[in-house]
């Protein structure tokens, strides 16, 4: 077991990214990898406000805002991790991601993707996800490296569900736009992560070791868009009020600056 009383010590994590450590300031290990987490902090705060009606309208998702809370915690954990590169920071970062993936799967995976026993009783499925999340958390404390396998195990299923739902809702232009842009953000984020991880000497050679920071920004927007799509699809099948994809302008004078969220029509569906 790698857990010791040194887990809070700076640079105690074995994971180190391409950005040189303590290059810009003696107080922050990776400055740009730290500040690039800003979208992971700002977006969830907005979305918790925008989704305040979702947990009321969709009865089986009364804890939906836990997704945005976990995303906020992950952003804060990532800030701490990249500022210190400590083992405790690594746990905060990775545990947040793990529990977000499990929570999204537990809350918003459509029933038609579940085994028949769980389709009848969704509670069985949600308890199973909880056991998986707890098991992965315990194993990660024993051997932190194993957490990467749990996290990447969610990638392909998440993409598969998003793509199949996009095909089912091919006539919904707003959904198509959100889903495909989310996928593009995800793909670009993954490319940045891989290039920073495996081609670091090249980026250092051209003095541009900042791709992991781009990963933070791209994955934040990609994940937010994917979660909007998942929550919309689930509400379509599990709500008596018609869900509507709505664009909220953050800056009213800029038509492009805003966030999509799931709103609801006032009239009930027949």
């Amino acid at each position: 077991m790698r857990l010791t009383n040194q887990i809070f010590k700076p640079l105690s994590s074995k994971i180190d990214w391409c950005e040189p450590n303590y290059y810009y300031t003696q107080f922050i290990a990776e400055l740009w990898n730290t500040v690039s987490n800003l979208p992971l902090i700002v977006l969830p705060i907005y979305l918790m406000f925008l989704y305040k009606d979702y947990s009321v309208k969709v009865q089986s998702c009364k804890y939906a805002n836990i997704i945005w809370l976990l995303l906020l915690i992950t952003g804060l954990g990532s800030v701490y991790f990249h500022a210190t590169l400590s083992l405790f920071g690594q746990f905060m970062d990775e545990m947040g991601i793990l529990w977000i993936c499990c929570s999204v799967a537990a809350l918003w995976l459509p029933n038609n993707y579940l085994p028949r026993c769980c389709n009848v009783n969704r509670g069985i499925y949600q308890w199973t996800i909880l056991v998986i999340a707890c098991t992965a958390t315990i194993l990660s404390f024993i051997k932190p490296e194993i957490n990467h396998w749990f996290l990447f195990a969610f990638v392909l299923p998440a993409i598969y569900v998003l793509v199949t739902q996009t095909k089912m809702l091919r006539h919904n232009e707003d959904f198509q736009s959100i889903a495909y842009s989310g996928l593009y953000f995800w793909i670009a984020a993954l490319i940045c992560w891989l290039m920073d991880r495996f081609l670091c000497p090249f980026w250092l050679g051209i003095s541009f070791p900042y791709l992991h920071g781009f990963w933070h920004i791209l994955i934040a927007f990609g994940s937010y868009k994917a979660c909007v799509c998942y929550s919309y699809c689930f509400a379509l099948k599990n709500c008596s009020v018609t869900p509507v994809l709505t664009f909220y302008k953050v800056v009213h004078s800029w038509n492009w600056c805003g966030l999509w969220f799931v709103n609801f029509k006032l009239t009930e569906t027949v």
Side-chain angles (χ1 to χ4, degrees), residues 51 53-66 106-109 122 126 230-231 234-235 238:
Y51 268 72
D53 291 334
Y54 189 93
S55 58
V56 177
K57 300 292 185 180
V58 187
Q59 294 299 322
S60 56
C61 284
K62 61 180 179 179
Y63 302 114
N65 265 344
I66 195 172
L107 286 176
W108 289 332
L109 185 67
R122 192 175 177 90
Q126 292 179 330
Y230 295 142
S231 62
F234 190 83
N238 297 275

Side-chain angles (χ1 to χ4, degrees), residues 24-46:
Y24 296 98
T25 171
Q26 61 179 326
F27 302 107
I28 300 176
E30 298 175 341
L31 177 63
W32 294 111
N33 284 350
T34 300
V35 299
S36 60
N37 284 289
L38 184 61
L40 278 169
I41 297 173
V42 174
L43 287 175
I45 294 174
Y46 267 106

Side-chain angles (χ1 to χ4, degrees), residues 205-225:
I206 62 173
S207 301
F208 193 77
Y210 308 117
L211 287 183
H212 194 76
F214 282 97
W215 146 267
H216 287 152
I217 298 169
L218 293 168
I219 201 66
F221 282 97
S223 298
Y224 128 69
K225 287 174 177 285

Side-chain angles (χ1 to χ4, degrees), residues 119-137:
N119 204 331
V120 175
N121 186 351
R122 192 175 177 90
I124 297 176
Y125 162 72
Q126 292 179 330
W127 276 105
T128 302
I129 293 295
L130 179 61
V131 170
I132 292 173
C134 292
T135 301
T137 300

